[in-house]
Amino acid sequence: VAFACQSQAGMSVIYTQTDCTNDCDNLQWVTNPELIANASSEGVVKWADSKCYVQSALTSTVGAIDAGSISLQVQDASIFSVGDWIRVFTEIKNVTQVPGGGRLVVATPFAGVHQAGDKVMKASASPQ
């Protein structure tokens, strides 16, 4: 379980239960993601426009994703629905179609190239 934050400046961060450096004994959010109610920039200006997404499922890509593509092939498309948010590395996309055969279609093109086997995180249905 993790959540990713993205700002308009293109920055993102992931919080997970591994490689923790601060407040590492506070893991209730890992076993119960419902505890993640919202996100805050905590007064840091560069994060003021950030949006955060809670991971609810994880799969991986079957083939590469080319820059400019709006579709991708995943190992398990059954965990996704239209309207879900996905994260592939630092790119967060909205799913517009789940046409079958492990394929997902997203609203906006991928900016970068992603390799087969890259992780695809299903995020909360809407940004926190």
Side-chain angles (χ1 to χ4, degrees):
V1 173
F3 65 94
C5 298
Q6 176 182 1
S7 73
Q8 289 180 358
M11 300 179 298
S12 68
V13 64
I14 300 175
Y15 296 89
T16 71
Q17 68 202 47
T18 57
D19 300 323
C20 179
T21 59
N22 295 314
D23 201 16
C24 301
D25 59 340
N26 184 3
L27 294 177
Q28 293 88 353
W29 62 274
V30 174
T31 56
N32 184 4
E34 298 286 323
L35 294 174
I36 304 170
N38 62 32
S40 168
S41 65
E42 295 184 12
V44 179
V45 174
K46 65 183 175 182
W47 289 104
D49 65 348
S50 63
K51 295 177 182 168
C52 293
Y53 305 82
V54 179
Q55 175 183 314
S56 58
L58 185 68
T59 188
S60 57
T61 58
V62 172
I65 304 169
D66 294 326
S69 178
I70 61 164
S71 69
L72 63 153
Q73 196 82 18
V74 296
Q75 291 282 336
D76 183 5
S78 69
I79 61 177
F80 299 103
S81 299
V82 170
D84 285 342
W85 292 87
I86 63 169
R87 180 180 184 275
V88 181
F89 283 101
T90 59
E91 296 196 59
I92 297 173
K93 303 292 179 186
N94 186 244
V95 176
T96 59
Q97 295 177 41
V98 185
R103 192 166 152 252
L104 302 176
V105 178
V106 296
T108 57
F110 282 92
V113 174
H114 302 284
Q115 304 303 315
D118 284 353
K119 299 299 180 199
V120 179
M121 179 182 87
K122 177 182 175 181
S124 56
S126 61
Q128 299 290 323

